[in-house]
PDB file of all heavy atoms in Angstrom:
ATOM      1  N   ALA A  81      -8.225  16.368  -1.988  1.00 96.00           N
ATOM      2  CA  ALA A  81      -8.673  16.484  -3.380  1.00 96.00           C
ATOM      3  C   ALA A  81      -7.638  15.936  -4.353  1.00 96.00           C
ATOM      4  O   ALA A  81      -7.991  15.287  -5.340  1.00 96.00           O
ATOM      5  CB  ALA A  81      -8.985  17.933  -3.706  1.00 96.00           C
ATOM      6  N   VAL A  82      -6.370  16.189  -4.090  1.00 95.00           N
ATOM      7  CA  VAL A  82      -5.317  15.674  -4.973  1.00 95.00           C
ATOM      8  C   VAL A  82      -5.278  14.156  -4.913  1.00 95.00           C
ATOM      9  O   VAL A  82      -5.184  13.478  -5.937  1.00 95.00           O
ATOM     10  CB  VAL A  82      -3.945  16.291  -4.615  1.00 95.00           C
ATOM     11  CG1 VAL A  82      -2.816  15.567  -5.316  1.00 95.00           C
ATOM     12  CG2 VAL A  82      -3.918  17.766  -4.971  1.00 95.00           C
ATOM     13  N   ARG A  83      -5.364  13.587  -3.723  1.00 94.00           N
ATOM     14  CA  ARG A  83      -5.330  12.130  -3.582  1.00 94.00           C
ATOM     15  C   ARG A  83      -6.563  11.480  -4.205  1.00 94.00           C
ATOM     16  O   ARG A  83      -6.472  10.423  -4.818  1.00 94.00           O
ATOM     17  CB  ARG A  83      -5.245  11.718  -2.115  1.00 94.00           C
ATOM     18  CG  ARG A  83      -4.002  12.169  -1.423  1.00 94.00           C
ATOM     19  CD  ARG A  83      -2.815  11.327  -1.804  1.00 94.00           C
ATOM     20  NE  ARG A  83      -1.637  11.820  -1.112  1.00 94.00           N
ATOM     21  CZ  ARG A  83      -0.595  12.351  -1.707  1.00 94.00           C
ATOM     22  NH1 ARG A  83      -0.551  12.442  -2.998  1.00 94.00           N
ATOM     23  NH2 ARG A  83       0.435  12.785  -1.018  1.00 94.00           N
ATOM     24  N   SER A  84      -7.718  12.103  -4.049  1.00 95.00           N
ATOM     25  CA  SER A  84      -8.937  11.499  -4.581  1.00 95.00           C
ATOM     26  C   SER A  84      -9.041  11.627  -6.096  1.00 95.00           C
ATOM     27  O   SER A  84      -9.854  10.942  -6.710  1.00 95.00           O
ATOM     28  CB  SER A  84     -10.169  12.100  -3.906  1.00 95.00           C
ATOM     29  OG  SER A  84     -10.312  13.451  -4.286  1.00 95.00           O
ATOM     30  N   SER A  85      -8.221  12.483  -6.698  1.00 92.00           N
ATOM     31  CA  SER A  85      -8.232  12.590  -8.157  1.00 92.00           C
ATOM     32  C   SER A  85      -7.659  11.333  -8.814  1.00 92.00           C
ATOM     33  O   SER A  85      -7.972  11.041  -9.960  1.00 92.00           O
ATOM     34  CB  SER A  85      -7.432  13.808  -8.617  1.00 92.00           C
ATOM     35  OG  SER A  85      -6.049  13.579  -8.454  1.00 92.00           O
ATOM     36  N   GLU A  86      -6.821  10.608  -8.098  1.00 90.00           N
ATOM     37  CA  GLU A  86      -6.183   9.374  -8.568  1.00 90.00           C
ATOM     38  C   GLU A  86      -5.408   9.580  -9.865  1.00 90.00           C
ATOM     39  O   GLU A  86      -5.259   8.660 -10.663  1.00 90.00           O
ATOM     40  CB  GLU A  86      -7.210   8.253  -8.716  1.00 90.00           C
ATOM     41  CG  GLU A  86      -7.847   7.853  -7.401  1.00 90.00           C
ATOM     42  CD  GLU A  86      -8.860   6.746  -7.550  1.00 90.00           C
ATOM     43  OE1 GLU A  86      -9.150   6.324  -8.685  1.00 90.00           O
ATOM     44  OE2 GLU A  86      -9.372   6.305  -6.512  1.00 90.00           O
ATOM     45  N   ASP A  87      -4.930  10.795 -10.091  1.00 91.00           N
ATOM     46  CA  ASP A  87      -4.106  11.127 -11.247  1.00 91.00           C
ATOM     47  C   ASP A  87      -2.649  11.084 -10.801  1.00 91.00           C
ATOM     48  O   ASP A  87      -2.203  11.940 -10.040  1.00 91.00           O
ATOM     49  CB  ASP A  87      -4.482  12.510 -11.768  1.00 91.00           C
ATOM     50  CG  ASP A  87      -3.735  12.904 -13.018  1.00 91.00           C
ATOM     51  OD1 ASP A  87      -2.902  12.108 -13.503  1.00 91.00           O
ATOM     52  OD2 ASP A  87      -3.986  14.016 -13.514  1.00 91.00           O
ATOM     53  N   ALA A  88      -1.922  10.079 -11.258  1.00 91.00           N
ATOM     54  CA  ALA A  88      -0.537   9.882 -10.802  1.00 91.00           C
ATOM     55  C   ALA A  88       0.344  11.067 -11.157  1.00 91.00           C
ATOM     56  O   ALA A  88       1.208  11.466 -10.367  1.00 91.00           O
ATOM     57  CB  ALA A  88       0.038   8.601 -11.399  1.00 91.00           C
ATOM     58  N   ALA A  89       0.140  11.666 -12.325  1.00 92.00           N
ATOM     59  CA  ALA A  89       0.949  12.822 -12.725  1.00 92.00           C
ATOM     60  C   ALA A  89       0.656  14.017 -11.839  1.00 92.00           C
ATOM     61  O   ALA A  89       1.575  14.749 -11.427  1.00 92.00           O
ATOM     62  CB  ALA A  89       0.687  13.165 -14.187  1.00 92.00           C
ATOM     63  N   LEU A  90      -0.607  14.237 -11.501  1.00 93.00           N
ATOM     64  CA  LEU A  90      -0.971  15.351 -10.624  1.00 93.00           C
ATOM     65  C   LEU A  90      -0.415  15.152  -9.222  1.00 93.00           C
ATOM     66  O   LEU A  90       0.105  16.091  -8.610  1.00 93.00           O
ATOM     67  CB  LEU A  90      -2.491  15.512 -10.579  1.00 93.00           C
ATOM     68  CG  LEU A  90      -3.017  16.620  -9.657  1.00 93.00           C
ATOM     69  CD1 LEU A  90      -2.538  17.990 -10.133  1.00 93.00           C
ATOM     70  CD2 LEU A  90      -4.520  16.574  -9.588  1.00 93.00           C
ATOM     71  N   ILE A  91      -0.485  13.945  -8.714  1.00 93.00           N
ATOM     72  CA  ILE A  91       0.047  13.664  -7.381  1.00 93.00           C
ATOM     73  C   ILE A  91       1.551  13.872  -7.361  1.00 93.00           C
ATOM     74  O   ILE A  91       2.095  14.481  -6.432  1.00 93.00           O
ATOM     75  CB  ILE A  91      -0.327  12.232  -6.941  1.00 93.00           C
ATOM     76  CG1 ILE A  91      -1.837  12.124  -6.731  1.00 93.00           C
ATOM     77  CG2 ILE A  91       0.413  11.837  -5.669  1.00 93.00           C
ATOM     78  CD1 ILE A  91      -2.339  10.719  -6.537  1.00 93.00           C
ATOM     79  N   ALA A  92       2.260  13.399  -8.378  1.00 92.00           N
ATOM     80  CA  ALA A  92       3.711  13.574  -8.442  1.00 92.00           C
ATOM     81  C   ALA A  92       4.082  15.048  -8.572  1.00 92.00           C
ATOM     82  O   ALA A  92       5.021  15.520  -7.929  1.00 92.00           O
ATOM     83  CB  ALA A  92       4.287  12.783  -9.605  1.00 92.00           C
TER      84      ALA A  92
END
Side-chain angles (χ1 to χ4, degrees):
V82 168
R83 297 284 179 245
S84 68
S85 73
E86 296 180 356
D87 184 0
L90 178 63
I91 293 170

